[in-house]
């Protein structure tokens, strides 16, 4: 029965796949398209009695059915099957495209730079950033600043795309956009236009991709004028080059320019042909003087008119709006109070857009060439060492964390940096200034509200740098909770009520954060941070002053970081680093992203050394594990299996560098406060006996579960210490027996 379906597709002028699987969404070349094309589609229903097929490039869509017409129930089942198959196909396609993108990046990194090539010589254009692979040219295809595929051009000019690579909305950029951006089909055409105008060009690779590329770049560069440079396919039915160019221009309110030729013997079509036949000056002249085609727009609906008018009114000052509000409300046929509410909403939206724009954070373009990670880390470390005295290992940790701020989305967990010091003037603010100059979209503040954190995180994902945290964080539980929530990507959200209708809205808190404060960080924040304890420099230690224009001076370094992050993002998402054994799982979680970055950069030894110096033991110094550890030490010291509560409290109070001697308002710990601390661990006191004495106390075996779960295991030498008396006794027995035999 599949043969009938295949024959129907063939009769429509297309070549179906060799094997059509029931229940699967299949793609194949469209009508009169090359083998790499995927405009054709078909779906065979599970019962093998019906199916659909068509061609996205021509708009063809037909239903095939064997025998009687489908009933309504069968049609509903068929629609469900198609929807499920399309969902499965998209999932498989995404995975295939990820694999293709990885191959494309590997190919691009291994390719070599070029000076000349037969195809370039024929087209009389320069190699603007492209490379050579064997005998062929290769041109990277970018989506969201990431290479997703490759176009190959042979010396004879034959073009093909990498198998399974994404093309839709993908482009190759030439030049940096300023005021005007040209979009064209091919590389030779794009290079010609760039040379003629000195303007930025985006190569879309084919006419069908002009509109997706234009829409993507319009969102990215909404302040630019977009001009579509069409191929004049006048020798092809319906002139697809001009038709698709007009569609693209209409979608982005852009303009269209079309090449015109005096000499048509070779059937020229594009601006490169025009330059070859009539010279580059003619291209300049035509672009400058051509009648620009602006597509007429469909009339706005009443709803669109109202939205447009509200947007205009929201941008007026309060006095200007008050002067016109009555007549504008009448013209829109709504009450003034309703218009006031809509204006307030629109003003709030505009404020949020402004907050997310570059006035809050500064973004940079990525470096034009691939970056060696080990060299970049060396530059970052040298920068930190030049301007601040740091504890051992901190330069490595800060450098890796800085680079990670450009690719933190590749990880499940991203730690905070906690800068602490016992006193002021220990260099915390200097480190913060360096982080501001080096990290991705840095936003430095010496005070911030809980709402500001989740709003800026939602809007622009900055690297949030909070200085002087000790002055406002201590008693702010909400602020600490929001900061803590951003530690793990899956749970980095808060829910707040928004708008007049009090609707719940989810805000992201997932963004890199660094905090600086005098004294210790709050326990919950400390647990989610890589803590760097700063200290004052000695009289003989000297460093340079940070330049006033540090952000501008280090812009190239930020661009290099961004380029490295883009090139290695996919690898970071899949890389599982080798981690050292450590007693604190949360500490390991915090360091895992830095270990992944270090491994890809070939800096595994440096990061291991840094971790051992900054977090050497993995000891958990929060109150719960601290009291358990001290209780265990008391039992070990006394060598007993049970102890009265009063004796345990006295021994705890005598331990140096612990809070038990001044536990509550400067007064020592009591039996009651000890019981409260042990309650969460399900350890309770009980009646115990020591000779004639009976009283409340604790039994060692009652702590076993808590010790096993919350304390690191004893090192081997300590275990041997416990058995030392027994070993001595055994040795004495053996020695006595040996002497008797002699």
């Amino acid at each position: 029965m599949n043969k009938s379906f295949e024959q129907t597709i063939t009769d429509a002028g297309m070549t179906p796949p060799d094997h059509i699987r029931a229940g699967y969404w299949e793609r194949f070349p469209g009508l009169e398209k090359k083998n790499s094309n995927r405009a054709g589609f078909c779906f065979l229903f599970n019962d093998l009695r019906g199916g659909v097929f068509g061609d996205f490039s021509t708009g063809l869509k037909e239903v095939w059915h064997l025998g009687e017409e489908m009933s309504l129930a069968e049609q509903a089942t068929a629609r469900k099957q198609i929807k499920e198959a399309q969902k499965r196909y998209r999932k498989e396609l995404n995975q295939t495209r990820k694999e293709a993108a990885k191959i494309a990046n590997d190919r691009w990194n291994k390719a070599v730079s070029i000076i000349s090539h037969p195809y370039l010589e024929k087209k009389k254009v320069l190699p603007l950033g492209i490379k050579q692979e064997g005998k062929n040219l290769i041109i990277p295809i970018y989506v969201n600043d990431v290479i997703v595929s490759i176009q190959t051009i042979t010396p004879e000019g034959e073009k093909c795309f990498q198998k399974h690579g994404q093309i839709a909305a993908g482009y190759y950029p030439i030049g940096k956009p300023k005021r005007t951006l040209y979009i064209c089909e091919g590389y030779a055409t794009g290079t010609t236009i760039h040379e003629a105008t000195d303007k930025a060009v985006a190569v879309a690779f084919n006419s069908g991709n002009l509109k997706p590329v234009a829409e993507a770049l319009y969102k990215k560069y909404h302040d630019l004028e977009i001009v579509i440079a069409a191929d004049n396919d006048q020798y092809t039915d319906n002139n697809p080059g001009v038709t698709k160019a007009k569609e693209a221009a209409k979608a982005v309110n852009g303009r269209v320019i079309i090449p015109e030729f005096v000499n048509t013997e070779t059937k020229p079509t594009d601006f490169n042909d025009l330059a070859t036949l009539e010279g580059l000056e003619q291209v300049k002249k035509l672009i400058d003087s051509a009648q620009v085609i602006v597509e007429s727009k469909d009339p706005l609906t009443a709803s669109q008119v109202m939205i447009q008018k509200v947007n205009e009114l929201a941008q007026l000052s309060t006095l200007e709006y008050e002067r016109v509000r009555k007549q504008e409300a009448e013209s829109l046929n709504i009450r003034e109070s309703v218009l006031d509410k809509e204006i307030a909403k629109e003003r709030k939206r505009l404020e949020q857009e402004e907050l997310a724009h570059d006035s809050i954070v500064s973004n940079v373009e990525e470096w034009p060439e691939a970056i060696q990670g080990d060299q970049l880390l060396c530059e970052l470390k040298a920068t930190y060492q030049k301007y601040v005295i740091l504890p051992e290992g901190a330069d490595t940790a800060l450098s890796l964390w800085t680079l990670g701020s450009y690719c933190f989305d590749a990880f499940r967990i991203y730690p905070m940096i906690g800068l602490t010091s016992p006193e002021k003037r220990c260099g915390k603010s200097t480190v913060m200034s360096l982080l501001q100059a080096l990290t991705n979209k840095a936003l430095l503040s010496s005070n911030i509200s809980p709402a500001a954190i989740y709003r800026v995180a939602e809007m622009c994902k900055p690297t949030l740098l909070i200085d002087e945290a000790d002055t406002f964080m201590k008693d702010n539980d909400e602020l600490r909770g929001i900061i803590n929530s951003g530690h793990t990507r899956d749970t980095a959200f808060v829910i707040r009520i928004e708008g007049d209708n009090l609707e719940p809205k989810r805000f992201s808190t997932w963004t890199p954060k660094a905090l600086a404060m005098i004294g210790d960080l709050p326990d919950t924040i400390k647990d989610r941070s890589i803590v760097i304890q700063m200290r004052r420099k000695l009289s003989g230690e000297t460093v340079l002053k940070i330049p006033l224009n540090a952000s501008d001076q280090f812009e190239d370094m930020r661009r290099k970081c961004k380029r490295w992050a883009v090139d290695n993002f996919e690898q970071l998402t899949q890389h599982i680093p080798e981690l050292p054994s450590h007693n604190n799982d949360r500490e390991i979680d915090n360091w895992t992203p830095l270990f992944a970055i270090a491994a890809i950069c070939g800096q595994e030894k440096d990061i291991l050394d840094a971790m051992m110096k900054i977090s050497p033991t993995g000891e958990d110094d929060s109150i719960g594990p601290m009291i358990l550890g001290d209780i265990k030490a008391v039992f070990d010291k006394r060598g007993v299996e049970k102890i009265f509560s009063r004796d345990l409290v006295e021994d705890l109070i005598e331990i140096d560098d612990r809070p038990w001697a001044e536990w509550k308002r400067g007064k020592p710990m009591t039996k009651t406060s000890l019981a409260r601390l042990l309650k969460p661990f399900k350890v309770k006191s009980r009646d115990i006996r020591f000779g004639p004495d009976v009283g409340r106390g604790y039994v060692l075996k009652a702590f076993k579960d808590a010790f096993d779960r919350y304390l690191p295991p004893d090192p081997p030498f300590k275990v041997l210490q416990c058995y030392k008396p027994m070993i001595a006794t055994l040795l004495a027995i053996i020695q006595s027996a040996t002497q008797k035999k002699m």
Side-chain angles (χ1 to χ4, degrees), residues 610-621:
M611 180 178 177
M612 291 302 102
K613 289 170 181 173
I614 295 174
S615 307
T617 64
E619 181 181 340
D620 193 338
D621 58 357

Side-chain angles (χ1 to χ4, degrees), residues 30 36 48 52 99 106 135 223 268 279 317 332 369 380 382 468 734:
S36 61
L48 306 181
V52 295
E99 295 169 358
D106 290 341
K135 295 182 179 180
D223 294 331
S317 69
L332 294 171
E369 300 173 356
L380 288 168
E468 310 289 348
I734 294 170

Side-chain angles (χ1 to χ4, degrees), residues 108-109 111-114 129-133 136-139:
W108 180 250
N109 290 333
V112 297
S113 300
I114 56 173
I130 62 176
K131 295 184 180 181
Q132 186 166 336
E133 182 183 58
N136 301 328
L137 294 175
I138 62 170
I139 304 173

